[in-house]
Amino acid sequence: MSLERFRTHLDPSTPLGPLVAEARSLTVRRFGLTMQLFAPLYLSNACVNTCTYCGFSRPNAIARRTLNEAELAREMDHVAAEGFRHILLVSGEDPRETSLAYLESAVRLAHGRFASVSIEVAPLDETGYRRMLKAGAEGVVVYQEAYDRRAYAAVHTSGPKKDYDARLKAPEIAARAGMRRLGIGALLGLAPWREEAMALATHALRLQKTAWQSTLTLSLPRLRPAAGGYVPEHPVSDEDLVRLVAALRLLLPDAGIVLSTREAAPLRDRLALAGVTMMSAGSRTEPGGYEEPQKAEGQFEISDDRSPAEVAARLRTLGLDPVWKDWDAALV
Amino acid sequence: MAADPLTIAGREFSSRLFLGTGKFPSVQAMQAAVQASGTEVVTVALRRVDLDAPEEPLLKALDGTKLLILPNTSGARDAEEAVRLAKLARAAGLPSWVKLEVTPDPRTLLPDPVETLKAAEILVKLGFTVLPYINADPILAKRLQDAGTATVMPLAAPIGTAKGLRTRDALQIIIEQATVPVVVDAGLGAPSHAAEAMEMGADAVLVNTAIAVARDPAAMAAAFRKGTEAGREAYRSGLAPERDQAEASSPLKNVLGRRA
């Protein structure tokens, strides 16, 4: 399918019902009647970047916390006890608090406990990614946030994250280092969403050619209220989000589409049947939040606060088999 | 018709339909399909099972006394990873049979011929019974059987496409020349595709997506069972050759002869 066709699918003149039905059938054929589950685990909310939409933004006077090894192990054991076998390690960017060696040790701790470990941290160079791979990570998530350069510059006002191009290149560098899963995404609300979707799709198509040995996943987080009081300038409605997920599925039949607990349960049900293939559940977005909730500030507010077991039960009701393990640590 | 077992590496199977266990809406739906299909060989992706868990739900749902549980190495992108997975499975007590899958491109899941051959050579030396998933490449099939694999498993069409025997001409050559059983794997979307492969002389077929995502997986499994059996019986009975011109089923000569 062409990008032009994708653009027409994003337009409200294309009826949503048939679009979703086609996306659903394509998803089932490629991924089966399944939903992959994973949990994010926040290592640190220390951050040197000023990003006006983010709870962890440097100027925000919030409770900051970087987990030590013992705390990390406790958090990981908590998440593993809930049944998760896939974990995403998330961290703010602060070279003093979360150095390469720190991240490496966190990955190593997770590698011993989970079948699949991915990282969502600031862009690294190829050597950095190789070190993470060697420690046991197999996936890298780097959202571009805003593909529109002006919008990007407007919200990333200071710190290393100002460098748009370094961020854009990161997934390719991670693939070159041997990472098996690449996660990209646009933070919806920062710029007009149809243009952002076109840019995300173009990025995905390019990665599928250049990083052909890596599985691609797409995320479409919508901005949520966070510390700092940011209000999204270009809001995206529920209908828009469903349309975007379905259209991306038709353009990229083999790409995973990821959904977080930013969205409320009823919409998550709809999206599960429109092309989403991976979901987080029971998430905490503050470091240490699984063991000690609310001791530090979270990155954003959670809308779906059901437990992982409740989410799994709901998926079964929808006719989807919740999959906890679809990878093996032996493959890293 | 006389009994017609399929023999692979000295083990006899009465069913010629193999089942994959992925993509089902539930473990119960998978079990029902296994039952209805009459299969004796099910493949299980090693990356999906928790070999450390004492009550692994997928393995627990399959009766290892009646079924051959054939671990597969899906997810491996080179020989080294495939060998590592196979060794882990054997160490965890699974049979030393392995369906070898080396698929470096996660989009098409097409098999890598170079790494597959390399892995097969290593695994055979390590004492595994190796059933390699390959593109329909007759020369690669010969190379693998020379390396000591127990079967070859050429694809009909890319995994999950349900397109049927798109590689028909190459499959025909493989079937004619193979000294090991040929199991047609991947791309079979309808019982008629399974029947067609069996009519051509394939020794068995493997089906997963078409059954797992059907509205009624058990009923679809039963339909594939019939398709597979019908194709096999037709092959054994001797199919009429294809001709370019019509030929009456009651030849005119005889009709005239009776009147005369």
Side-chain angles (χ1 to χ4, degrees):
Chain A
M1 205 185 75
S2 71
L3 270 174
E4 274 321 298
R5 187 87 196 280
F6 175 67
R7 190 191 285 278
T8 65
H9 286 163
L10 298 181
D11 194 273
S13 63
T14 303
L16 189 55
L19 195 71
V20 168
E22 207 186 328
R24 160 95 176 128
S25 118
L26 200 55
T27 307
V28 167
R29 216 159 62 211
R30 177 63 180 79
F31 295 88
L33 292 152
T34 64
M35 181 66 67
Q36 163 84 61
L37 294 172
F38 74 99
L41 193 152
Y42 281 71
L43 311 178
S44 170
N45 59 3
C47 198
V48 298
N49 292 307
T50 302
C51 311
T52 53
Y53 54 83
C54 179
F56 296 169
S57 188
R58 181 176 196 163
N60 294 348
I62 56 166
R64 306 265 177 186
R65 185 176 183 196
T66 301
L67 302 183
N68 62 31
E69 283 215 4
E71 290 165 337
L72 282 173
R74 273 204 300 278
E75 286 286 284
M76 288 176 189
D77 290 339
H78 183 114
V79 170
E82 288 178 320
F84 289 104
R85 307 291 292 120
H86 289 223
I87 195 165
L88 173 67
L89 304 180
V90 190
S91 177
E93 177 171 12
D94 185 337
R96 281 168 311 168
E97 288 282 318
T98 52
S99 64
L100 216 50
Y102 172 85
L103 296 175
E104 209 172 17
S105 70
V107 168
R108 210 169 287 125
L109 281 175
H111 185 50
R113 292 171 166 83
F114 296 91
S116 162
V117 181
S118 293
I119 52 171
E120 184 175 348
V121 301
L124 307 178
D125 60 14
E126 196 173 326
T127 317
Y129 284 130
R130 277 188 204 286
R131 279 175 66 177
M132 296 303 140
L133 187 82
K134 221 168 154 225
E138 55 111 359
V140 166
V141 175
V142 186
Y143 301 157
Q144 191 59 28
E145 321 291 16
Y147 281 93
D148 180 301
R149 283 180 187 267
R150 258 195 304 185
Y152 188 94
V155 292
H156 301 107
T157 55
S158 93
K161 196 167 172 178
K162 277 179 79 171
D163 190 342
Y164 177 101
D165 291 300
R167 201 164 182 84
L168 191 65
K169 281 186 216 136
E172 238 153 294
I173 295 169
R176 214 153 52 220
M179 288 291 176
R180 309 289 287 255
R181 278 172 213 260
L182 303 176
I184 61 173
L187 189 50
L188 300 176
L190 294 175
W193 73 268
R194 286 188 179 81
E195 291 315 309
E196 289 295 294
M198 289 299 290
L200 174 68
T202 308
H203 191 190
L205 289 171
R206 194 188 71 197
L207 277 174
Q208 285 194 332
K209 287 184 186 162
T210 56
W212 66 274
Q213 295 209 16
S214 304
T215 300
L216 193 62
T217 62
L218 309 171
S219 296
L220 308 156
R222 282 196 298 180
L223 271 170
R224 307 278 317 154
Y230 180 87
V231 179
E233 214 174 305
H234 302 274
V236 174
S237 71
D238 289 2
E239 296 308 295
D240 293 340
L241 189 58
V242 172
R243 176 180 293 280
L244 178 52
V245 165
L248 281 170
R249 168 59 61 232
L250 297 182
L251 178 71
L252 302 156
D254 310 304
I257 300 182
V258 186
L259 187 61
S260 79
T261 53
R262 284 169 186 262
E263 303 300 346
L267 181 61
R268 298 231 300 166
D269 286 357
R270 267 183 85 187
L271 291 166
L273 301 174
V276 164
T277 55
M278 288 174 80
M279 273 188 178
S280 51
S283 306
R284 306 291 319 189
T285 71
E286 73 273 34
Y290 290 106
E291 283 284 300
E292 302 167 288
Q294 283 161 4
K295 206 174 145 189
E297 183 74 23
Q299 191 187 22
F300 56 85
E301 267 179 35
I302 301 294
S303 295
D304 179 356
D305 56 7
R306 293 172 299 172
S307 71
E310 285 168 335
V311 171
R314 178 65 189 156
L315 289 171
R316 281 188 207 101
T317 314
L318 294 174
L320 297 171
D321 190 25
V323 171
W324 302 90
K325 179 178 184 290
D326 191 25
W327 197 250
D328 201 281
L331 283 164
V332 180
Chain B
M1 214 172 239
D4 172 35
L6 164 67
T7 307
I8 300 175
R11 179 163 169 173
E12 281 192 1
F13 302 94
S14 57
S15 162
R16 291 172 178 268
L17 173 59
F18 297 5
L19 240 61
T21 54
K23 297 186 176 179
F24 282 90
S26 65
V27 168
Q28 294 74 20
M30 187 269 290
Q31 279 176 310
V34 167
Q35 184 78 30
S37 71
T39 190
E40 291 163 336
V41 182
V42 292
T43 73
V44 172
L46 286 167
R47 61 182 233 215
R48 279 292 299 276
V49 299
D50 220 335
L51 292 172
D52 300 331
E55 294 276 285
E56 213 306 315
L58 196 57
L59 293 179
K60 213 179 132 215
L62 298 165
D63 182 354
T65 61
K66 290 191 188 139
L67 298 165
L68 171 67
I69 296 172
L70 183 60
N72 73 56
T73 61
S74 88
R77 66 176 172 187
D78 57 30
E80 194 191 326
E81 290 176 358
V83 170
R84 208 184 308 150
L85 274 178
K87 282 181 177 169
L88 270 178
R90 185 160 71 176
L94 286 173
S96 63
W97 290 50
V98 62
K99 182 179 176 223
L100 176 60
E101 296 183 23
V102 185
T103 54
D105 176 1
R107 292 182 63 201
T108 60
L109 297 173
L110 287 169
D112 181 329
V114 180
E115 295 294 318
T116 301
L117 179 59
K118 208 192 289 179
E121 286 167 346
I122 297 169
L123 289 168
V124 167
K125 281 199 188 105
L126 290 171
F128 282 90
T129 302
V130 182
L131 295 80
Y133 168 57
I134 57 169
N135 214 317
D137 178 342
I139 303 301
L140 178 63
K142 285 173 187 292
R143 292 286 305 267
L144 284 161
Q145 98 195 358
D146 288 350
T149 63
T151 62
V152 287
M153 302 184 71
L155 58 84
I159 265 180
T161 58
K163 287 186 172 178
L165 301 184
R166 294 301 169 101
T167 58
R168 188 183 176 94
D169 292 351
L171 283 175
Q172 191 73 64
I173 298 172
I174 293 174
I175 289 167
E176 277 167 16
Q177 302 190 345
T179 57
V180 293
V182 177
V183 184
V184 174
D185 183 0
L188 302 178
S192 57
H193 297 155
E196 201 183 341
M198 297 307 293
E199 285 167 12
M200 281 172 66
D203 296 281
V205 292
L206 189 148
V207 181
N208 187 350
T209 306
I211 292 173
V213 308
R215 200 166 42 244
D216 184 342
M220 187 60 84
F224 266 96
R225 175 186 195 159
K226 291 176 197 154
T228 307
E229 288 172 356
R232 179 66 186 173
E233 277 179 34
Y235 171 74
R236 292 183 71 209
S237 312
L239 287 157
E242 280 185 25
R243 292 179 199 281
D244 289 332
Q245 281 167 347
E247 193 175 314
S249 45
S250 308
L252 202 58
K253 196 173 65 183
N254 289 351
V255 178
L256 292 176
R258 261 206 302 278
R259 274 190 184 170

